[in-house]
Amino acid sequence: MGHIMLNDTGIEDAVSRNVIPAAVGVNAPPKLSQSPRIQELARRSRELAISGKRRLGSEDMPLGDHACWIHIGPFPELDQMPSKVNGYEPTGESWGRDYAFLVDHFPIDIHPDERIVGEIHWEMHMVRQYVWPAEAQEVGKMAHALGASGVSTGHTCPDLAIGLSQGWGGILERIKRSRAKYIRLDNQPKASYLHGLQMICESVIRFIQHHAEKARELAQGETDPWQKETYERVAECCAHIATGAPRTYYEGVQWIHFAVMMDRVVGHGNGYGRLDLYLIDLYRKSKAVGELSDEEAREYLSEMFLKLRGHFFSMGGRDAKLKDATNEVSFVVLEAYDLIGDYNNLGVMWHPDIDPEFYDYACDVLARHGESIPVLVNYDLMYEAQLRSGIPEEDAWKVAYSGCQWFCIPGKEFCDQDVNSINLLAPMQRAIAAAIEQDIGDFECFYALFEEELTRTARALREWKNTQYDLLDRLWPEMFTSMNSHGPIERGIDMVGARGVDYQYTSVNILGIPNVADAFHAIRQLVFEEGRYTLTDVKAATQANWQDNEPMRQRFLNQDKFGNDLDDVDALLVRITDSLAEILGSMVNQRGQEFRASLFHFQGHLNPSAVGATPDGRLADEYLAHGINPQVGRNNTGLLATANSIAKIDQRKFQGGTMQVELQPRFFDGKDDVWTYVRNFSETFFRKGGIQINLNIMDLETLRDAMDHPEIPEYQNIIVRVTGYASRFICLSRDYQQEFVTRINYEGF
Amino acid sequence: MRVIEIIRGTTHDGPGVRTTLFLKGCPLRCVWCQNPEGMNVEPEVWWESHKCIRCLACLDACPSDALSESAAGLRQDRQTCRRCGACVEACPSRAMAFNSQDWPIDALLKEALKDQDYYKAFGGGVTISGGEPLGQYRSVAELLRRLQETGVHTALDTCGLAPQAALAAVLPHTDHVLFDIKLLESGLHQAHTGRPNDAILANLDRIVDHIRNVNRAMKLWIRTPLIPGVTATPENILAISRFIHEDLPDVVERWELCAFNSACNSKYEKMGLSWPCADTPLMRQTEVDAIMKTALSTGMVDDKVLVSGLIAEGLPETLSTYPCSE
């Protein structure tokens, strides 16, 4: 079952009531109350989500309800796309022309009650092809055969401070200047690329101007004084920010809304940076002149959240002097979420010097809503990871939690976060075969073979990525994001092209690390130390999915497992991650920059049949371990033990490694000051070396029921943090739901 | 030290978040015992049906012929079983296992220190419980001493029935005592736990004395299991309340009334024992409210008394019978 077709009453019920069952979050009254206006806007947003108009992914494989675009049907002018009419060209200019055409044909949506306006209904990939030439695809197939994959698409982060300070007009000026320069210097490719950027920028300016025109029109025909004034304010705001830099907090939020939304016309998992740093100056300015109430400050952001979805903003962290960067807006952003709940991907970047009141509030919000919002991340570890890669201090402090589990220097990176993958089970299986062939008799030699096979897979990935990088800035440049990045306009190089931006490492997600660690530990024990089985036995048994070999499978299954704070097997996992860091870190891509592993996987663990049964005792149809979290059913020593296991990894070597926690709400029954548990647990975990916590506080039994009864209103507004992003539970595919409800539901610590 | 279980990250056995070490062996035989594997100090082999794959390797391995297969699963003849562990060795899925483990003190200390950082953050520490931990008092004293030396807060969860020497050895290394008062009337105590309570109350006296005269910083929590028809009677609750309020107000920081649940029934099945309390239902909120009223009726301050454990929700107001009390 994909998503739910509800009858009108069903939707109405769910939409109007926004009841969340007691089994999600900690039972506590809301701290902020919604104005009727916000209630109405939230209701409309819920209706869109539940009725499937925000669906990400396909009908058969829905990923969630966090599409920014709203379904209204296919793009009517599809056949008039410039690349269709004039012929497709793999150039930035052609891409820009298509983007401008698409945007120029967007309807202008302004709804009653809204102060923040703007919606989109289509994305670029729906109207322009993104296809690799056949020779390139062959390279991809070879990589896939060795367990590596990944097609570059977005997953970076612009620096919106650029546009906030220059306005689209300022950006356009720079584009034109740069284009004129390259024309004068007769550098046609750069001039042509910049022409593409210019068309994009001008189309965005027009789009915003159209909102001003429409709002003015609506104001003229409006009789209700409040609504009339609201339309007029929208008109004035949009008229200014079409080209000008925002002058007020309100204009700032509306500007950011357009900037993110038009970026998501390219629809590709970007983060958007540090929202509190973006808005603080405008906030203080507006506050000082008395034009901004506390309620307005958070309501504008609430509205933006309801409309944007899928947006990763972060707060907290440190400033250029490494002092705490928390400010008033950090609180306002959390309040904006606290006010409406619902869908979000906010991250709070903790560090030992963070404002304790802010962090307490963050933990309180998280506990009450129970839907892993905000995500808690360890700023200092992200900062150190960036330094370790060679990013200088003057940029490294800017690091922002930007995605599922990854982080970024806004506007300066294109690192392929989250799109690439190495299935670690593949080199493992090849190593077993090779060890049999070579008659290997000890674990160390076996492990050396594994590292060889892993190197083969990594090299195949490098081949594949380089093939893409050679073509990427012509095939699918990230032109919109490039406009708010440092480099592309002046250099005439898209951010995906070599040297378009300064930091272009290649990130690789790794699938199945706990499974490999568990398998190696079992093999070390049962094959090499006890001699109870041979590798030939292991290969044969796993290939036959352990058929008629249950006692053998049980022996492998009942060896010590990762996630129970047991030093032997945990050390083996750490060793494997170190091998990953070393092998990938010794390879550079076509831009001359290193590969970096991320201890996370978006959804590969849901596709176990690709891998078959494994020597950790796993059956072929069982899901794999999710990221760096223990295989389900294998950590039975409690949450603190699992946290300890995960914290043994040196996260400075990696691009993220999320600990996923589904905690029973009844753990908090009878406890006061619930947020202190979240705070104390997270701070200790971070001090011990953990980097990220996704904390869902929910009773998985409730969700089991929700799978079978999605029509029950109470279930329709449950948001869960799936792996790296949030989604309405009932909007997930059955597979995803099934995996989610079979996770361990910690009863306590 | 003979350990039946180690639970990490608990909030049920003292202040903050703690690791609780449960030791084997207990002089009492409370009808409602939640840890039947803690009763005898000798290890037993027990069988976990849901882990069993019916390979019967255990049967083949047993030198004493103590195992047989039935429709219900494996049957152990506990008289014949010599506890040699051959079946445990042979079992591929750990369905056959010893119900305790012997830990050298060094290893147990290392284990208990794994969550040291969390104890600090949560104001927690390590609790030693069981069975009755004072049955292994020499090792317990040593372990607690070394934990305190490392800066870890220590708690002792005891039924109070132990030789004087045991208390004398352990108390100097204890920051916090959790002491059971189940039944104040000694005859009833004997009927339901197998022993009278005079020695227990004498030990309580010694602990109270220790707090008043040696270590004012030591905390004392009294715990009373709420067993329907047995301990959760108005008479017993009133008596204990009076006792605490009149005789011990300066030393008792908290009185915890622990609501009963029969979830541990599977342990009895694994031990091959029948359990009279297997079907005892959860208490209802109305019953709990009545008990609290009685508990506070002596003038005890209400933030000193709390009810812990599972309470039934939404059940109809019908009379229940309590097999436990028969």
Side-chain angles (χ1 to χ4, degrees), chain A residues 326-556:
Chain A
T326 307
N327 59 39
E328 304 90 287
V329 176
S330 317
F331 287 84
V332 176
V333 174
L334 281 183
E335 285 171 7
Y337 163 68
D338 201 3
L339 180 64
I340 55 171
D342 201 76
Y343 186 90
N344 218 307
N345 282 305
L346 295 173
V348 162
M349 302 191 289
W350 176 87
H351 56 88
D353 304 309
I354 198 168
D355 177 350
E357 210 191 308
F358 174 64
Y359 195 66
D360 278 356
Y361 180 49
C363 292
D364 178 48
V365 166
L366 171 50
R368 275 186 290 110
H369 292 271
E371 295 173 335
S372 187
I373 304 162
V375 168
L376 304 176
V377 281
N378 184 341
Y379 174 89
D380 287 345
L381 264 182
M382 296 193 294
Y383 172 71
E384 301 250 277
Q386 299 292 51
L387 284 182
R388 186 177 181 278
S389 299
I391 293 175
E393 278 82 347
E394 76 239 21
D395 277 341
W397 74 265
K398 299 171 186 167
V399 68
Y401 165 74
S402 286
C404 296
Q405 87 299 357
W406 51 273
F407 40 92
C408 211
I409 311 297
K412 292 200 158 198
E413 277 194 25
F414 182 78
C415 291
D416 255 6
Q417 299 282 7
D418 263 0
V419 301
N420 302 319
S421 172
I422 283 180
N423 175 356
L424 207 60
L425 284 318
M428 178 196 79
Q429 286 165 336
R430 297 197 310 266
I432 290 172
I436 291 170
E437 228 173 279
Q438 297 173 38
D439 205 12
I440 296 295
D442 73 279
F443 181 76
E444 285 307 312
C445 293
F446 169 68
Y447 192 85
L449 280 180
F450 167 69
E451 285 187 312
E452 269 176 45
E453 290 300 330
L454 177 53
T455 305
R456 270 183 75 204
T457 299
R459 289 196 178 135
L461 178 66
R462 178 176 59 179
E463 264 310 299
W464 177 215
K465 293 315 303 183
N466 285 347
T467 305
Q468 292 175 47
Y469 293 149
D470 283 346
L471 298 168
L472 193 56
D473 64 345
R474 276 168 281 156
L475 218 55
W476 199 264
E478 297 289 345
M479 295 178 72
F480 189 90
T481 319
S482 289
M483 287 195 293
N484 278 291
S485 296
H486 301 273
I489 294 174
E490 277 69 32
R491 300 175 194 178
I493 306 173
D494 190 79
M495 71 188 311
V496 311
R499 287 194 322 107
V501 287
D502 288 346
Y503 308 124
Q504 297 176 317
Y505 305 95
T506 299
S507 250
V508 190
N509 284 0
I510 313 292
L511 177 64
I513 301 173
N515 299 98
V516 173
D518 288 348
F520 279 8
H521 181 76
I523 286 172
R524 181 169 61 186
Q525 184 64 35
L526 293 169
V527 173
F528 293 113
E529 277 173 33
E530 284 178 30
R532 205 188 264 266
Y533 302 99
T534 65
L535 282 180
T536 309
D537 296 332
V538 172
K539 182 159 180 272
T542 49
Q543 278 179 344
N545 196 16
W546 302 102
Q547 185 138 45
D548 300 324
N549 242 324
E550 188 59 12
M552 182 184 176
R553 183 179 88 87
Q554 286 293 330
R555 284 200 193 279
F556 280 82

Side-chain angles (χ1 to χ4, degrees), chain A residues 680-700:
Chain A
N680 294 343
F681 173 63
S682 60
E683 288 192 347
T684 309
F685 176 63
F686 289 151
R687 283 182 213 275
K688 289 166 80 82
I691 192 166
Q692 178 173 340
I693 301 174
N694 290 351
L695 177 59
N696 288 308
I697 301 177
M698 42 190 63
D699 181 353
L700 292 181

Side-chain angles (χ1 to χ4, degrees), chain A residues 180-382:
Chain A
K181 173 177 85 182
Y182 287 113
I183 289 172
R184 179 173 67 81
L185 296 168
D186 195 19
N187 188 325
Q188 187 39 40
K190 287 183 191 288
S192 143
Y193 169 75
L194 286 158
H195 184 212
L197 272 191
Q198 183 176 337
M199 288 188 279
I200 291 169
C201 194
E202 286 167 344
S203 74
V204 170
I205 290 171
R206 283 192 293 272
F207 183 63
I208 301 175
Q209 278 167 344
H210 289 328
H211 284 80
E213 285 151 21
K214 173 129 189 211
R216 230 170 268 133
E217 237 177 77
L218 288 167
Q220 271 161 18
E222 179 60 50
T223 50
D224 175 75
W226 180 88
Q227 187 62 67
K228 187 185 179 76
E229 202 211 319
T230 300
Y231 284 142
E232 282 164 357
R233 287 187 71 211
V234 167
E236 200 209 321
C237 173
C238 291
H240 175 78
I241 64 172
T243 51
R247 302 163 295 190
T248 67
Y249 176 86
Y250 173 51
E251 288 179 357
V253 176
Q254 179 68 74
W255 190 92
I256 291 175
H257 173 74
F258 276 126
V260 173
M261 189 178 73
M262 302 314 286
D263 191 80
R264 296 200 63 204
V265 170
V266 201
H268 45 18
N270 281 354
Y272 292 96
R274 295 166 68 167
L275 193 51
D276 48 2
L277 297 185
Y278 285 154
L279 284 170
I280 187 60
D281 290 341
L282 290 171
Y283 175 85
R284 285 175 181 155
K285 196 173 160 211
S286 287
K287 273 291 191 183
V289 302
E291 71 187 6
L292 181 68
S293 73
D294 288 345
E295 188 181 57
E296 284 169 333
R298 60 179 166 258
E299 280 193 357
Y300 295 148
L301 290 177
S302 300
E303 284 193 62
M304 187 179 81
F305 293 154
L306 288 173
K307 295 171 85 70
L308 280 183
R309 316 181 76 69
H311 37 70
F312 287 84
F313 288 111
S314 53
M315 295 87 69
R318 295 183 190 270
D319 64 16
K321 299 200 172 74
L322 298 184
K323 298 267 181 296
D324 181 32
T326 307
N327 59 39
E328 304 90 287
V329 176
S330 317
F331 287 84
V332 176
V333 174
L334 281 183
E335 285 171 7
Y337 163 68
D338 201 3
L339 180 64
I340 55 171
D342 201 76
Y343 186 90
N344 218 307
N345 282 305
L346 295 173
V348 162
M349 302 191 289
W350 176 87
H351 56 88
D353 304 309
I354 198 168
D355 177 350
E357 210 191 308
F358 174 64
Y359 195 66
D360 278 356
Y361 180 49
C363 292
D364 178 48
V365 166
L366 171 50
R368 275 186 290 110
H369 292 271
E371 295 173 335
S372 187
I373 304 162
V375 168
L376 304 176
V377 281
N378 184 341
Y379 174 89
D380 287 345
L381 264 182
M382 296 193 294

Side-chain angles (χ1 to χ4, degrees), chain A residues 359-361 363-365 367 672-680:
Chain A
Y359 195 66
D360 278 356
Y361 180 49
C363 292
D364 178 48
V365 166
D672 297 321
D673 299 344
V674 168
W675 83 87
T676 59
Y677 288 87
V678 177
R679 181 198 59 204
N680 294 343

Side-chain angles (χ1 to χ4, degrees), chain A residues 665-737:
Chain A
R666 60 172 173 261
F667 168 72
F668 295 103
D669 285 352
K671 291 183 165 66
D672 297 321
D673 299 344
V674 168
W675 83 87
T676 59
Y677 288 87
V678 177
R679 181 198 59 204
N680 294 343
F681 173 63
S682 60
E683 288 192 347
T684 309
F685 176 63
F686 289 151
R687 283 182 213 275
K688 289 166 80 82
I691 192 166
Q692 178 173 340
I693 301 174
N694 290 351
L695 177 59
N696 288 308
I697 301 177
M698 42 190 63
D699 181 353
L700 292 181
E701 279 310 309
T702 306
L703 295 182
R704 246 178 260 269
D705 201 47
M707 282 176 75
D708 298 325
H709 300 288
E711 71 286 356
I712 294 179
E714 273 76 10
Y715 295 151
Q716 285 166 353
N717 293 310
I718 300 177
I719 311 280
V720 301
R721 189 154 185 95
V722 188
T723 55
Y725 64 94
S727 172
R728 235 170 202 83
F729 181 75
I730 57 163
C731 295
L732 290 170
S733 71
R734 189 108 187 142
D735 242 339
Y736 248 127
Q737 290 178 334

Side-chain angles (χ1 to χ4, degrees), chain A residues 554-555 558 565 644 684 688, chain B residues 8 90 93-94 114 117 121:
Chain A
Q554 286 293 330
R555 284 200 193 279
N558 283 286
D565 203 4
N644 281 0
T684 309
K688 289 166 80 82
Chain B
R8 293 166 65 167
S93 63
R94 305 203 185 174
K114 279 180 175 175
D117 297 322

